[in-house]
Amino acid sequence: HIAMSLMSSNVNSSGLPMLSGPADQMRLGLSALEGSHGSAPHPIQQMMSSETAWMNKLNSTRRLYGSHMAMRLATEKEIMSRNHRLGGLESSSIGLQTLLGTDTKIDFSDFLNDPMSRPEMPKLTVHSHMEVQLGLL
């Protein structure tokens, strides 16, 4: 009964919860802190929100400019997401980042996902990689 009265006192007239005092963790438990915005969202949640943002961008483009423009954007995304260089050479994805609008933000994948710094990746030269692809070795 006491917890219910504490919960009702934390809601203002607009229906939004407000913190009127320190959270009583002994009565409410750690679940009282779940609504706090002190932690960053999970990376998977960020990826899913970026996918829904891309779908929203396609849908709004389709409504404003027609389906041909949305198809063009989807085709450009598909082309830009491919590797454009031979194996063994570093490929840049600046076109895809510009298309998606992520070129102005620094994210974990910008500095933690460098394929050339992975220890398990073999460091092949361009010539040896082409020999493997063509079956000469």
Side-chain angles (χ1 to χ4, degrees), residues 108-109 111-124:
F108 286 115
S109 62
F111 57 91
L112 292 178
N113 196 21
D114 186 18
M116 298 306 284
S117 64
R118 293 182 187 158
E120 69 272 358
M121 183 176 173
K123 308 288 189 208
L124 296 175

Side-chain angles (χ1 to χ4, degrees), residues 67-124:
S67 62
H68 71 282
M69 191 63 174
M71 286 189 285
R72 180 178 176 160
L73 283 176
T75 305
E76 286 178 358
K77 181 185 177 195
E78 184 66 32
I79 290 171
M80 293 293 174
S81 63
R82 296 182 195 156
N83 288 335
H84 296 290
R85 295 193 178 184
L86 294 175
L89 292 177
E90 203 171 326
S91 189
S92 174
S93 61
I94 191 68
L96 180 64
Q97 290 175 356
T98 304
L99 183 66
L100 296 177
T102 59
D103 57 339
T104 59
K105 295 182 279 184
I106 296 177
D107 199 9
F108 286 115
S109 62
D110 291 330
F111 57 91
L112 292 178
N113 196 21
D114 186 18
M116 298 306 284
S117 64
R118 293 182 187 158
E120 69 272 358
M121 183 176 173
K123 308 288 189 208
L124 296 175

Side-chain angles (χ1 to χ4, degrees), residues 8 10 34 36 54 64 67-68 83-84 86 101 104 117 130 136:
S8 63
N10 290 340
E34 286 178 358
S36 67
W54 172 252
L64 288 174
S67 62
H68 71 282
N83 288 335
H84 296 290
L86 294 175
T104 59
S117 64
M130 287 306 296
L136 299 175

